[in-house]
Amino acid sequence: MMGMVGLLILGCVPAPVATKVPDEAASIMRVAVAKLQGAKGYRFTVTLRYYWQMEGKEQIWSFQGEGGVEGGRFRSVLRGPADTLYEVEISDHLVKARDARGELPNPSTTFGGPGFGAAPYTVVSYVRNFGDATSMGLLEGTETHRVGFRPRLAAVAALDADHGRDMQRVTQVKGEAWVDKAQGNLRREEVEVEFVSRAGNTERAVITIDFYNFIP
């Protein structure tokens, strides 16, 4: 009889509730993105390697540039081979842009780099709309988190009609973010973007953006 009571009592004990451990990588990214979006301004430098096809052979073009955000206005300049120039200023979805030939009529918010999905404005939107995130530990010899991530491309496509159109050509984006451990600021974003060119070739761009001079 006592044995039966003991079994009944044990049967009434609730099962242990699993405690969900916060995802460290996602938490690091959320803090970094919040600080990026909340900043009054910041500066950045850009390096870009563009891998494209010509007559069946892969070509590699290298670009350098800089830019920043101030008062809600985004600006970037990218310079490459053969006097190639991509310069853009975006404020409240109003876009001004020019290339080596001069000012462009009716430029899009995706202008600013070669190929599709590789302009600095779009690249920053990848980290702002991160999805999966994976901790890669600390950068060797520093107090900087390394986090691998993939953006939510549907969220990037939803930014505006220009991104909706261009994201149809982007097949894959994978990235890595460097985040300062002490302050939580984003220090670097590097992404590899694969896309289908207008000629139907699979091409890619590797873009590195280094952030600095944050104004809280």
Side-chain angles (χ1 to χ4, degrees), residues 27-148:
S27 297
I28 292 168
M29 291 290 284
R30 280 193 291 269
V31 170
V33 170
K35 298 197 74 165
L36 184 72
Q37 294 185 219
K40 293 179 182 177
Y42 54 84
R43 301 286 299 165
F44 58 79
T45 58
V46 185
T47 59
L48 186 151
R49 297 189 307 278
Y50 174 37
Y51 301 81
W52 58 289
Q53 299 286 327
M54 184 173 69
E55 297 179 352
K57 295 182 179 180
E58 184 175 71
Q59 310 293 317
I60 305 174
W61 279 11
S62 296
F63 295 79
Q64 300 284 334
E66 68 277 335
V69 169
E70 184 176 356
R73 181 180 62 182
F74 180 97
R75 181 178 178 273
S76 68
V77 180
L78 205 60
R79 304 172 186 86
D83 296 323
T84 305
L85 173 70
Y86 298 95
E87 183 173 351
V88 65
E89 182 179 301
I90 303 172
S91 180
D92 295 327
H93 295 291
L94 297 176
V95 186
K96 294 181 181 179
R98 69 185 185 95
D99 60 15
R101 297 166 296 181
E103 189 168 343
L104 300 179
N106 303 315
S108 77
T109 56
T110 58
F111 180 82
F116 294 96
Y121 183 81
T122 302
V123 172
V124 174
S125 78
Y126 291 144
V127 76
R128 292 176 61 178
N129 293 280
F130 78 92
D132 295 335
T134 305
S135 177
M136 301 171 68
L138 294 178
L139 185 65
E140 186 175 356
T142 72
E143 289 296 296
T144 302
H145 293 289
R146 294 178 62 203
V147 181

Side-chain angles (χ1 to χ4, degrees), residues 129-199:
N129 293 280
F130 78 92
D132 295 335
T134 305
S135 177
M136 301 171 68
L138 294 178
L139 185 65
E140 186 175 356
T142 72
E143 289 296 296
T144 302
H145 293 289
R146 294 178 62 203
V147 181
F149 73 93
R150 289 182 182 270
R152 294 177 291 115
L153 295 183
V156 176
L159 290 175
D160 52 49
D162 295 329
H163 280 85
R165 180 192 62 243
D166 279 25
M167 286 301 106
Q168 293 180 26
R169 290 186 172 270
V170 173
T171 55
Q172 178 177 250
V173 180
K174 54 184 178 182
E176 179 178 326
W178 292 5
V179 179
D180 179 80
K181 185 177 179 181
Q183 298 180 337
N185 284 328
L186 181 66
R187 295 302 182 191
R188 170 175 287 190
E189 175 191 6
E190 180 171 289
V191 297
E192 180 175 348
V193 182
E194 290 186 358
F195 56 89
V196 179
S197 71
R198 287 187 173 86

